[in-house]
Amino acid sequence: MAARKAMVAGNWKMNGSLELVEKLSDAINNAEFSEVKIVLFPPFPLIPAMIASGVNTGAQTVSEHTSGAFTGEVDAELIKQLGANYVLVGHSERRSVYKESNDVVAAKFARAQQAGLTPILCVGESETERENGQTEQVVAAQIDAVINKLGVAALEDSVIAYEPVWAIGTGKTASPEQAQTVHKFIRDKIASLEGNLAQGLTILYGGSVNEKNSELLFAQTDIDGGLIGGASLKAESFAAICNSAKGTV
Ligand code: PGA
């Protein structure tokens, strides 16, 4: 079995400041987190400061194109050149607000890997989809878009984040059992194509994770850490969440 490592990622969304980069990086750098891979995803203009602080850094989105007349878009190669190593693709806010389809998300995933960035593929069902019993179908289609375009081997250098849309920013976390069920479904689905890859794959949970619920969530067999939104803007909470990931994988 390939070794996985616990990971905690912080998605700042359109929040944060140079002062917050300093506060968060101090909290991370002053604690002992060598067993946990920590990555922060600030807005684009804060990426250089975050990298300079010594914290692993990623971008919140990336263009699927390489260059050209795409005003406001950012190419993966430039993100890599700055020194960032990760990028979120398919976050639910990008899917719903910016209408990114599964195909567009797969194209962004491909472009990120081509430029040497590790994509974190975000997947998850809406409340209605869950109520209609479509959770597995929705999550499978989101992952299949990448597998169909690039082959299952492309998942080797990636991370998957399961984030039920109804739990993001709502304070309604999936229970550890609900989250574990979907994480196991994801790992089993990939294992049916490529067993070793599935065992080595990092699968994060996201959606209203905080320092009170992180320990139980991270203790689940197929949950390898978290993708944290709101609580990643508070140094103490984020450090406590990172601490709770120790020894869980
Ligand atoms: P939340 O956001 O922790 O604020 O629910 C998670 C995310 O959107 O990645």
Side-chain angles (χ1 to χ4, degrees), residues 4-7 158-161 187 198 200-204 224-225:
R4 309 200 287 267
K5 186 174 179 173
M7 179 173 187
S158 80
V159 171
I160 291 182
R187 204 180 301 284
L201 184 67
T202 300
I203 309 179
L204 307 178
D224 305 314

Side-chain angles (χ1 to χ4, degrees), residues 6-13 36-42 56-61 86-95 118-124 159-165 167-170 172-174 179 183 202-211 213-214 217-218 222-233 237-238 241-242 244-245:
M7 179 173 187
V8 178
N11 172 16
W12 281 10
K13 312 192 182 188
V36 183
K37 178 116 203 157
I38 298 171
V39 189
L40 282 176
F41 295 81
N56 283 314
T57 307
Q60 297 174 13
T61 184
Y86 289 86
V87 64
L88 300 179
V89 297
H91 187 278
S92 78
E93 287 146 23
R94 301 295 314 178
R95 292 180 188 268
T118 299
I120 299 189
L121 173 66
C122 304
V123 300
V159 171
I160 291 182
Y162 169 58
E163 299 200 295
V165 179
I168 295 178
T170 58
K172 272 202 248 172
T173 324
H183 280 236
T202 300
I203 309 179
L204 307 178
Y205 169 78
S208 298
V209 177
N210 58 41
E211 66 272 39
N213 58 30
S214 57
L217 284 160
F218 298 169
D222 289 295
I223 299 183
D224 305 314
L227 176 54
I228 321 301
S232 72
L233 296 166
S237 304
F238 190 67
I241 293 169
C242 293
S244 70

